[in-house]
Amino acid sequence: MTPGRILPTLAAGALALGVLTACSDDDPAAGGTPAGTTAPGLARDTSVVPGCRTDPPEQVPPKRTYENPPPMSIDTARTYTATLDTSCGTIVIRLDARAAPRTVNNFVFLARERFYDGLPFHRVVRDYVIQTGDPRGDGSGDAGYEFGDELPDDGYPPGAVAMANAGPDTNGSQFFIVTGDASFLDNLYSRFGRVVRGLEAARRIESLAPPDVPPGDPSAEVPRQPAFIYSVRISEG
């Protein structure tokens, strides 16, 4: 059984400690819209949010799993930037290799393997986060391994990028981008970068969250139409 990726949810202005988003393989409650499909009643060429595309990714590379985390291959003295081409615009993330070398190394490895290309944002929460990185598209998948935490001590401001997890030292491939207020979050998630351009694109994805979501209901946090990562490009300097 693949452990679920968890992240606290919002509950009417207070923190709810219930498990959210990605759950275990046998829990369909956190299911996302499968990649390449369109939400019921939505024409393929019509977006519910201006500035977002509805066309699914083309030529999605097959997703493989790995027995172990990747060996360290980045140079922590260099600067790494990830450019995400998404269905709602470009998001540029400055990766923090000094503060989170293992996590950045993992992200760079998976991005260069094209692991993230074609994956959906399976979870969107209004004024909070967007989450992706699951090859199954329902919150239960990962890259086949886990690795240890590299936790911050100063929280998750808007634009922060961090790993979702299933408890201490269970990082894998899923990550989230903070789009709203995450000031209540404890420092339990490995923060490995920040959005330096395109936070408005991330917020367009967030605005796909359905309105009037019942607090603590993972099944209600599926976007109103599919949102995708088309590709991730890593630059080094």
Side-chain angles (χ1 to χ4, degrees):
M1 179 182 296
T2 303
R5 306 290 118 183
I6 64 173
L7 188 65
T9 184
L10 297 173
L15 174 62
L17 297 179
V19 172
L20 234 223
T21 176
C23 298
S24 61
D25 292 351
D26 54 1
D27 184 356
T33 303
T37 64
T38 304
L42 182 69
R44 287 175 59 89
D45 60 349
T46 303
S47 174
V48 298
V49 173
C52 291
R53 297 161 57 185
T54 61
D55 49 310
E58 298 180 358
Q59 299 180 339
V60 176
K63 307 306 176 189
R64 58 173 294 190
T65 56
Y66 307 83
E67 292 185 1
N68 298 296
M72 184 63 66
S73 61
I74 65 168
D75 181 350
T76 58
R78 298 181 69 83
T79 300
Y80 294 86
T81 301
T83 301
L84 280 61
D85 178 22
T86 82
S87 54
C88 291
T90 300
I91 302 172
V92 180
I93 301 169
R94 179 69 52 82
L95 304 177
D96 193 345
R98 292 183 182 272
R102 286 178 299 178
T103 311
V104 170
N105 183 72
N106 177 74
F107 186 87
V108 168
F109 168 78
L110 290 176
R112 287 175 171 168
E113 289 282 295
R114 298 187 66 195
F115 183 89
Y116 292 119
D117 291 10
L119 296 190
F121 289 87
H122 61 271
R123 177 193 181 208
V124 292
V125 187
R126 193 174 299 275
D127 300 321
Y128 185 27
V129 299
I130 59 176
Q131 189 165 327
T132 184
D134 173 17
R136 296 184 179 182
D138 64 1
S140 68
D142 56 31
Y145 57 79
E146 297 177 346
F147 65 96
D149 292 326
E150 293 172 311
L151 304 178
D153 58 11
D154 55 352
Y156 307 89
V161 185
M163 301 299 293
N165 63 45
D169 301 319
T170 60
N171 302 291
S173 61
Q174 291 192 41
F175 66 95
F176 63 92
I177 300 174
V178 177
T179 52
D181 180 16
S183 59
F184 56 85
L185 274 183
D186 293 330
N187 294 305
L188 299 176
Y189 307 94
S190 297
R191 194 183 70 200
F192 63 97
R194 64 183 178 89
V195 175
V196 294
R197 182 164 58 86
L199 187 57
E200 68 278 6
R203 285 177 169 151
R204 279 194 289 272
I205 296 171
E206 177 221 284
S207 68
L208 291 170
D212 304 321
V213 173
D217 181 3
S219 65
E221 294 175 345
V222 177
R224 291 178 288 160
Q225 73 183 32
F228 300 100
I229 297 176
Y230 292 136
S231 66
V232 179
R233 185 178 74 254
I234 300 293
S235 58
E236 181 178 347

